[in-house]
């Protein structure tokens, strides 16, 4: 049975010759490796293998021939491997639907290029394009906020938005001065100066219920700085309190899922982990501990430990009633 890595390499080898033939003046090895999404060393190994492939007889004039000139490579004999790979019906339908989905996205900067690609793929696909025709692509209505936010950034105008804050389970209304758009882990974020809290904040676009471009110009103050995301998306302020928890073995995943500043093994509970999480939202920490169902104990701060204990006693009292 062919392993996935072998299958991927075979597909790449079949595509390499027509790829090189389409570039008669040659192509830089680094550029070809980037086009195929592999390291340059892997591409060199693929080219070495192509050198011993060709027509039956395997003598001079039968094998694929390549020419290396500095950091460039070109094909000098194709051995008949000049036809590019053809898409299967499923692949063609998937590609056409994906391109249509892109066109439905609001604020798409490359809409004209996507339209041309869709027309070419549909024409080349033939029957698969007819199969894909009845497929209806629907984009989440909340994605409409992306085009409005982009318009505000391009026009350098302030934005008025209704935003859902999941940590407090409430909807807020605020005016912001947009600074930039970010795409992190598949989610769009607006980084902006929030006039309500007088600070720079990140707003996830799928949590914006409504957004409007205002007539007034965006004017982030001098202290509004774009955050360095090398340390992660969530960066609590240095003055935020540390929440120290002791986690049972079943809750050790918390240290992997949330950014912790300290962690260490503990024997009580057996196989447990002590962690310190910095957060300015103690209500979030209280809900986290409650959701762990007894698998976490609060050591600090004392007020948080008292709140968690009080809520636990109240819950037990309700069960008793």
């Amino acid at each position: 049975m062919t392993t996935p890595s072998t299958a991927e390499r075979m597909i790449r080898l079949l595509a390499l010759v027509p790829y090189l033939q389409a570039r008669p003046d040659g192509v830089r090895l680094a550029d070809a490796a980037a086009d195929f999404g592999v390291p340059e060393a892997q591409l060199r190994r693929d080219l070495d293998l192509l050198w011993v492939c060709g027509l039956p007889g395997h003598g001079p004039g039968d094998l694929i021939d390549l020419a290396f000139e500095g950091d460039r490579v070109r094909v000098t004999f194709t051995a008949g491997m000049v036809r590019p790979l053809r898409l299967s019906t499923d692949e063609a339908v998937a590609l056409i639907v994906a391109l249509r989905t892109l066109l439905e996205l609001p604020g798409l900067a490359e809409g004209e290029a996507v339209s041309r690609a869709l027309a070419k793929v549909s024409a080349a696909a033939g029957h698969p394009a007819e199969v894909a025709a009845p497929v209806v692509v629907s984009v989440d209505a909340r994605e409409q906020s992306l085009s409005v936010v982009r318009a505000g950034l391009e026009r350098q105008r302030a934005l008025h938005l209704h935003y859902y804050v999941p940590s407090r389970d409430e909807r807020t209304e605020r005016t912001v001065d947009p600074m930039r758009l970010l795409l992190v882990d598949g989610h769009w974020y607006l980084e902006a100066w929030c006039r309500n809290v007088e600070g720079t904040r990140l707003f996830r676009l799928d949590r914006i219920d409504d957004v409007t471009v205002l007539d007034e110009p965006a004017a982030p103050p001098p202290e509004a700085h774009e955050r360095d995301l090398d340390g992660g998306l969530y960066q609590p302020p240095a003055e935020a309190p540390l929440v120290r928890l002791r986690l049972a073995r079943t809750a050790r995943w918390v240290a992997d899922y949330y950014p912790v500043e300290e962690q260490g093994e503990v024997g009580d509970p057996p196989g447990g982990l002590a962690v310190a999480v910095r957060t300015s939202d103690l209500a979030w920490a209280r809900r986290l501990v409650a959701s762990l169902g007894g698998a976490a104990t609060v050591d600090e701060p004392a007020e948080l430990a008292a709140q968690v204990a009080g809520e636990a006693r109240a819950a037990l009292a309700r069960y008793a009633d």
Side-chain angles (χ1 to χ4, degrees):
M1 181 176 179
T2 304
T3 63
S5 59
T6 303
E8 291 170 3
R9 191 181 189 192
M10 176 62 72
I11 293 172
R12 190 166 59 249
L13 289 170
L14 291 172
L16 260 172
V17 176
Y19 169 87
L20 293 173
Q21 190 194 32
R23 295 157 177 81
D25 295 329
V27 60
R28 292 179 61 247
L29 289 167
D31 294 339
D35 287 343
F36 282 93
V38 296
E40 186 174 333
Q42 177 61 57
L43 182 74
R44 288 181 180 273
R45 289 192 291 269
D46 292 340
L47 294 172
D48 289 342
L49 181 57
L50 279 178
W51 238 332
V52 295
C53 298
L55 300 171
H58 308 292
D62 297 326
L63 302 178
I64 295 171
D65 202 4
L66 306 169
F68 290 89
E69 299 162 357
D71 65 343
R72 304 178 71 83
V73 60
R74 59 188 177 89
V75 62
T76 57
F77 179 64
T78 66
M81 293 181 57
V82 295
R83 295 180 60 187
L85 294 173
R86 294 195 176 274
L87 296 173
S88 68
T89 298
D90 290 344
E91 291 169 337
V93 170
L95 182 56
I96 291 170
V97 171
L99 289 171
R100 288 179 182 169
T101 304
L102 274 177
L103 283 175
E104 290 292 328
L105 288 177
L108 180 66
E110 299 82 11
E112 185 177 344
V114 174
S115 295
R116 291 197 302 269
L118 177 59
K120 291 180 180 179
V121 172
S122 298
H127 175 65
E130 298 174 3
V131 174
V135 177
V136 177
V137 177
S138 177
V139 178
D140 192 327
R142 290 190 222 178
E143 290 291 338
Q144 299 294 330
S145 59
L146 178 60
S147 61
V148 180
V149 169
R150 275 184 170 152
L153 280 166
E154 291 170 0
R155 296 168 53 193
Q156 297 183 334
R157 293 290 186 268
L159 300 171
H160 184 78
L161 52 88
H162 295 258
Y163 188 72
Y164 172 66
V165 183
S167 62
R168 300 196 300 270
D169 191 26
E170 68 176 3
R171 282 170 170 77
T172 61
E173 187 175 351
R174 58 187 84 195
T175 299
V176 302
D177 298 290
M179 296 162 58
R180 62 173 174 169
L181 268 172
L182 299 166
L183 182 61
V184 181
D185 295 332
H187 295 290
W188 284 102
Y189 292 85
L190 165 67
E191 187 170 25
W193 175 265
C194 179
R195 299 181 184 179
N196 297 51
V197 300
E198 297 185 341
T200 304
R201 294 291 185 269
L202 282 177
F203 301 96
R204 216 170 96 170
L205 261 62
D206 60 354
R207 292 175 182 161
I208 295 178
D209 294 329
D210 183 58
V211 57
T212 306
V213 179
L214 302 178
D215 290 333
E216 58 184 288
E223 61 267 28
H225 299 292
E226 297 177 350
R227 70 175 66 188
D228 181 4
L229 296 180
D230 289 343
L233 192 64
Y234 176 68
Q235 300 174 21
E239 64 274 12
L242 273 177
V243 175
R244 299 186 181 275
L245 306 174
R246 276 180 290 124
L247 305 171
R249 185 190 302 273
T250 56
R252 291 174 66 101
W253 59 266
V254 170
D256 297 323
Y257 193 80
Y258 296 102
V260 299
E261 295 198 4
E262 303 172 16
Q263 69 177 48
E265 301 289 334
V266 294
D268 181 22
L273 191 69
V275 299
V277 182
R278 191 175 299 277
T279 177
S280 55
D281 189 356
L282 291 183
W284 166 84
R286 188 177 72 250
R287 286 192 295 273
L288 172 64
V289 173
S291 69
L292 294 173
T297 303
V298 180
D299 289 335
E300 296 178 15
E303 61 268 27
L304 177 61
Q307 289 177 357
V308 170
E311 291 180 354
R313 285 193 293 269
L316 288 174
R318 286 194 292 271
Y319 275 109
D321 294 338

